[in-house]
Amino acid sequence: MLRFDGFIFTLLNLVVLYVAMRHFLIGPIQNVLAARKEMIDKQFTAAQSKEDEAMQLKQQYDGLLENAKEESKQIVEESRMRAGKEYEERVQKAERQANRILEKAKQDVENEREQAMEAMQKQIAGVAMAAAGKILKEQADSSVDRSIYDQYIAGIGESHEADGN
């Protein structure tokens, strides 16, 4: 027959061993594993939030970079426009200055021409008076002298007008 007292004692030892192992070995191991799982989950959650934050920062920086590019394009375009305006203003100023210089030169030439004409008329009048004086010495009639003088001046004026045109 079978002996049950050894069997029951073995079974009782196994139950006690199981309860002791469960309480002293498996319980702490499961607690460590649960704590480790919780720590890994927290790290994973933290890593996910950091990644999300990094993506938001990247999007923000990309937006700022795009804004900076647009702003730089706008600044360059404004600079080109200002440079073009300044160029046009300087060209117009140079043209105005050149026109003023040209007008002044024309006026100076006209003034010198008029002065030369006045000087010539004075010389001609002097020559005419000298000629008239000689004629007066030769002729005593003043009306004849006056008509000769007038004809001489009119002839000089007509030749001058023909030369000027």
Side-chain angles (χ1 to χ4, degrees):
M1 249 197 324
L2 289 170
R3 284 181 65 190
F4 286 108
D5 58 345
F7 179 68
I8 294 177
F9 181 69
T10 303
L11 191 58
L12 187 61
N13 276 339
L14 280 176
V15 170
V16 170
L17 185 61
Y18 174 73
V19 170
M21 284 185 71
R22 179 134 173 89
H23 181 65
F24 292 111
L25 186 62
I26 295 176
I29 288 176
Q30 284 182 341
N31 290 340
V32 168
L33 289 176
R36 185 161 185 150
K37 183 177 186 289
E38 185 179 328
M39 182 179 71
I40 290 171
D41 288 344
K42 283 182 183 178
Q43 287 177 346
F44 182 72
T45 304
Q48 187 65 37
S49 71
K50 292 286 185 185
E51 184 179 355
D52 292 343
E53 184 180 332
M55 288 302 289
Q56 286 177 349
L57 286 174
K58 182 183 180 284
Q59 289 174 350
Q60 184 181 4
Y61 290 139
D62 286 344
L64 290 174
L65 182 61
E66 188 63 32
N67 288 343
K69 285 179 183 178
E70 286 297 321
E71 189 175 330
S72 68
K73 284 179 185 178
Q74 185 178 7
I75 289 171
V76 167
E77 188 60 33
E78 287 175 1
S79 296
R80 283 185 184 147
M81 289 174 58
R82 281 195 307 257
K85 255 186 178 176
E86 188 173 331
Y87 172 78
E88 287 298 322
E89 288 174 1
R90 286 186 180 197
V91 166
Q92 289 175 357
K93 182 179 178 183
E95 286 176 355
R96 286 192 303 266
Q97 189 175 7
N99 287 338
R100 281 195 305 269
I101 291 171
L102 185 61
E103 286 300 318
K104 185 178 183 315
K106 285 180 181 178
Q107 187 64 37
D108 289 347
V109 166
E110 184 62 30
N111 289 342
E112 287 179 18
R113 182 176 169 266
E114 287 177 11
Q115 288 174 356
M117 287 298 293
E118 287 176 12
M120 271 187 5
Q121 283 180 353
K122 286 180 183 177
Q123 286 179 353
I124 290 171
V127 170
M129 292 303 269
K134 282 185 180 181
I135 291 175
L136 282 177
K137 285 183 185 176
E138 292 176 8
Q139 297 178 357
D141 191 1
S142 86
S143 64
V144 173
D145 291 339
R146 184 73 169 153
S147 69
I148 292 173
Y149 176 73
D150 289 340
Q151 287 175 357
Y152 182 71
I153 294 295
I156 295 295
E158 288 174 6
S159 69
H160 174 13
E161 287 176 9
D163 288 344
N165 293 333

